[in-house]
Amino acid sequence: MPGAGNFREWQVKAACRGPQAAVFYPPGGGERRDEKRARELRAKAICDQCVVVGRCLEYAVDSGEFHGIWGGTNESERRVMIGV
């Protein structure tokens, strides 16, 4: 959820807020495939504990968010969901 343009009321309840937000996007210098997988698994574990995960996923799909982990899904998973 970090990087969300328009702040939504549900976002204040998001489990990804705070220092752990870094795992939801790749580092600026890139990452190896195994590092990406591990980072995404850490982010998805946070999503698994989130009370607004459904709203987050809905927002990401509706807004066409193709970067980062949103609603427990990565970019590829969301592209499949919306048929891109």
Side-chain angles (χ1 to χ4, degrees):
M1 186 206 51
N6 295 329
F7 192 79
R8 308 272 187 255
E9 191 171 313
W10 58 265
Q11 290 173 319
V12 298
K13 299 176 184 174
C16 61
R17 293 179 53 81
Q20 67 275 13
V23 300
F24 287 81
Y25 290 95
E31 62 190 339
R32 294 187 325 255
R33 189 176 306 175
D34 61 326
E35 293 170 332
K36 178 180 180 176
R37 174 119 173 95
R39 178 185 53 76
E40 287 186 349
L41 288 173
R42 286 191 307 274
K44 288 178 177 186
I46 293 169
C47 291
D48 286 345
Q49 303 300 312
C50 186
V51 298
V52 294
V53 68
R55 301 278 311 266
C56 181
L57 179 57
E58 180 181 358
Y59 171 81
V61 170
D62 289 349
S63 65
E65 182 59 65
F66 291 117
H67 301 285
I69 302 296
W70 288 76
T73 63
N74 65 25
E75 300 94 337
S76 299
E77 293 162 339
R78 287 191 306 279
R79 287 177 197 262
V80 169
M81 290 175 72
I82 62 174
V84 173

